[in-house]
Amino acid sequence: MGRLIVISNRVGPTNSSGPSVGGLAMALGAALREYNGVWFGWSGQTVDAFSGQLAVQREGGATIATVDLEPQDRDEYYNGYANRTLWPLFHYRIDLSAYERSFNEGYARVNARFAQTVLPLLQPDDFIWVHDYHLIPLARELRRRGVKNRIGFFLHIPWPARRLFATLPFHRELVEAVFDYDLVGFQTEDSLSAFEDYVEKEEGGEVRPGAVHAYGRTLRTGVFPIGLDAKSFAEAATGETACGWRDRMKVSLAGRRMIIGVDRLDYSKGLEERFLAYEEYLQNTPEALEQVFLLQIATPSRDEVPAYQEIRARLDAVSGRINGAFATADWVPIRYVNRAYRRDELAGIYGAAAIGLVTPLRDGMNLVAKEYVAAQTPDDPGVLILSKFAGAAEQMGEALIVNPFSREEVSDAIAAGLAMGRSERIRRWESLMDGVQTHDVSAWRDAFVDALRTTPRPELAKV
Ligand code: GDG
């Protein structure tokens, strides 16, 4: 049986079941151990001159291999093309998407460097799983170097609508490069159909069940919605730390109801719109004053990118203005927190909230929605309010689904959620929880790996 080679921008810790290890790292770690695998990515460090020197270590049965990049790579590839060009475009923010030739060059250079560096680690029967928008042209670079292995690609973020995607200079080249994979996976039907639409309408390709044909090649396609490491999250939610935090939050509630938001501090998460919708709710609902508060945990991220500095400053201003307008001597309407919590602490905090407010403007999936559900107490669960533009909305129809751009709709949903009776909350939660447990991260990983292992390779078929 071939080994599994996972390649992503960064690698996660895989050897710990500790509270800070993310669900993706845990799921991939388990698969890497099972398939005697290798996880390769950028170390996060920079050195003056790129050497291609691999740092390899064994971690709990898997091999972790990293490489350092140059400061120019970090600026042009990571902060540049990945996070200033593709991320905003794929999240429908063409106004924020910056196209600079140096970014494209840096992106191409780092993908070539990744391919060159990982090459000596590859064996003929390995199968390779590449992750996310940082590495779209990686298969092309590997093929150029003679790699014939099966290679799959999974996109964690949305694939944008055809007309938006076509605003990207060299959009055709990027899509053509996708066809060097054997399998491409998306989070949602919506993303898959946007990709198919582009291939069909812009490139005259042909859409077939589970495949697209263009540029003389056939690419297998599929929808693989990512899930939570539901079992370990549920364990964390009933552990000592989570229970301690749930109790601590209950004391801090002092009889009030809590609405919780947890996000990376990112403009795609709709935080400003969320604050404004909550303000609308306070304006519309005088009886809620001093009875409710919003705890927004927003962990800073990508703070070298100007748009992230700007959204952070705007959120400081908007939360400050709302608190200034509504706060009383012993109540603030928004507790706005810019620090990170451990996974088990978060589980406890979610568990104390009457509402989980998850309102991204655009999101590949959104795991916070699933974590909120997994952390609820079965006999008295809270209510999930979920944006229709999160991939999770395709699976989580029992949430209160809202348009995050409409303050009125979000405000009405907050009112409806806080008024919802226990039996309806339980009915909705049971259905949501069933989905979270069934479609968990292991199911996602197994479905993708099985699809990749069974995708025929024309070159392999001949031998
Ligand atoms: C991308 C896609 C897709 C947040 N604050 C803390 C903390 N977090 C954790 C959450 C959650 C994770 O970060 C965020 O995951 P999301 O899915 O919400 O979003 P992205 O980071 O944008 O991830 C997304 C995902 O990839 C997977 O495919 O769902 O659509 O954009 O797990 O809990 N974790 C801890 N402390 C914090 O303060 N420990």
Side-chain angles (χ1 to χ4, degrees):
M1 189 168 65
R3 301 177 311 166
L4 172 64
I5 312 293
V6 172
I7 307 180
S8 55
N9 174 55
R10 296 290 303 275
V11 301
T14 61
N15 63 340
S16 148
S17 55
S20 61
V21 179
L24 182 64
M26 273 202 210
L28 292 176
L32 289 168
R33 283 189 291 277
E34 186 176 334
Y35 292 104
N36 185 26
V38 179
W39 192 350
F40 170 70
W42 176 33
S43 63
Q45 307 293 320
T46 56
V47 283
D48 288 344
F50 180 78
S51 69
Q53 179 71 45
L54 271 173
V56 180
Q57 64 188 83
R58 292 286 294 172
E59 221 182 73
T63 301
I64 304 294
T66 56
V67 67
D68 298 337
L69 294 175
E70 289 174 9
Q72 195 183 351
D73 294 333
R74 180 197 54 214
D75 296 344
E76 295 174 352
Y77 147 80
Y78 180 70
N79 287 328
Y81 202 76
N83 286 330
R84 287 184 66 190
T85 308
L86 293 183
W87 176 274
L89 174 68
F90 281 40
H91 289 87
Y92 286 63
R93 292 297 303 269
I94 46 175
D95 57 317
L96 294 178
S97 188
Y99 309 106
E100 288 184 22
R101 192 167 296 155
S102 65
F103 292 175
N104 292 2
E105 288 164 2
Y107 188 65
R109 183 177 64 246
V110 170
N111 272 271
R113 286 181 165 174
F114 262 51
Q116 193 64 35
T117 310
V118 80
L119 207 57
L121 295 178
L122 302 180
Q123 296 170 7
D125 60 347
D126 290 344
F127 53 105
I128 303 168
W129 186 4
V130 178
H131 288 259
D132 232 0
Y133 58 102
H134 314 83
L135 300 175
I136 295 173
L138 187 62
R140 166 145 298 182
E141 294 297 337
L142 289 167
R143 301 287 183 223
R144 280 183 181 150
R145 289 163 177 78
V147 172
K148 303 241 184 312
N149 304 50
R150 283 191 187 84
I151 314 180
F153 178 76
F154 182 76
L155 183 68
H156 288 258
I157 67 176
W159 186 276
R162 169 168 62 96
R163 298 272 189 211
L164 277 177
F165 187 70
T167 64
L168 178 72
F170 305 109
H171 52 91
R172 183 173 193 268
E173 283 76 357
L174 201 63
V175 172
E176 197 176 351
V178 176
F179 279 73
D180 275 313
Y181 290 97
D182 299 293
L183 167 70
V184 58
F186 299 94
Q187 299 270 26
T188 60
E189 294 289 348
D190 186 65
S191 285
L192 171 59
S193 60
F195 180 74
E196 291 173 338
D197 188 44
Y198 178 94
V199 172
E200 198 173 42
K201 307 262 175 44
E202 296 281 331
E203 297 301 307
E206 191 192 327
V207 175
R208 301 172 183 167
V212 283
H213 183 82
Y215 317 104
R217 290 191 295 274
T218 301
L219 168 67
R220 188 168 173 190
T221 56
V223 173
F224 304 89
I226 198 168
L228 211 62
D229 192 345
K231 194 159 160 278
S232 93
F233 200 86
E235 274 164 24
T238 48
E240 203 179 316
T241 305
C243 291
W245 267 91
R246 219 167 9 249
D247 293 346
R248 182 168 162 180
M249 288 314 297
K250 282 192 178 139
V251 172
S252 157
L253 291 177
R256 299 180 174 115
R257 323 268 315 270
M258 175 165 75
I259 302 168
I260 181 85
V262 176
D263 304 81
R264 269 190 314 101
L265 209 169
D266 192 299
Y267 48 80
S268 67
K269 302 294 182 186
L271 294 169
E272 188 174 353
E273 291 75 6
R274 186 180 306 168
F275 285 177
L276 295 174
Y278 173 66
E279 178 184 34
E280 171 114 2
Y281 166 76
L282 294 177
Q283 274 160 354
N284 293 341
T285 327
E287 63 276 19
L289 300 178
E290 304 196 56
Q291 301 305 313
V292 174
F293 68 90
L294 168 63
L295 170 60
Q296 178 62 55
I297 297 173
T299 320
S301 97
R302 304 178 193 167
D303 45 16
E304 292 177 350
V305 177
Y308 287 75
Q309 296 157 5
E310 283 155 26
I311 181 70
R312 187 165 183 183
R314 273 209 304 284
L315 292 173
D316 286 348
V318 174
S319 60
R321 182 181 61 69
I322 296 172
N323 280 342
F326 290 93
T328 58
D330 63 353
W331 171 71
V332 283
I334 304 180
R335 298 186 188 179
Y336 179 47
V337 180
N338 286 139
R339 50 155 290 186
Y341 287 85
R342 287 159 41 126
R343 224 166 110 80
D344 50 359
E345 293 175 327
L346 270 188
I349 299 171
Y350 286 132
I355 288 190
L357 193 51
V358 183
T359 54
L361 306 181
R362 197 60 65 171
D363 217 330
M365 175 55 58
N366 195 296
L367 292 175
V368 169
K370 298 186 175 186
E371 289 167 4
Y372 177 75
V373 167
Q376 296 307 300
T377 316
D379 61 356
D380 191 19
V383 176
L384 174 66
I385 297 178
L386 179 61
S387 162
K388 60 161 74 165
F389 302 119
E394 276 190 11
Q395 298 174 298
M396 304 183 85
E398 292 293 336
L400 298 181
I401 303 291
V402 293
N403 175 353
F405 295 96
S406 165
R407 290 180 205 171
E408 286 90 352
E409 245 186 67
V410 176
S411 161
D412 288 353
I414 293 173
L418 289 172
M420 194 181 286
R422 184 190 288 237
S423 61
E424 184 175 355
R425 282 187 281 120
I426 292 177
R427 181 183 62 71
R428 286 175 183 265
W429 175 80
E430 282 177 346
S431 160
L432 289 169
M433 187 63 175
D434 186 47
V436 166
Q437 284 173 327
T438 311
H439 305 291
D440 70 351
V441 76
S442 310
W444 165 78
R445 176 199 70 204
D446 292 345
F448 191 93
V449 169
D450 285 351
L452 181 57
R453 286 167 58 85
T454 55
T455 300
R457 277 237 85 214
E459 288 85 343
L460 296 179
K462 282 186 212 138
V463 267

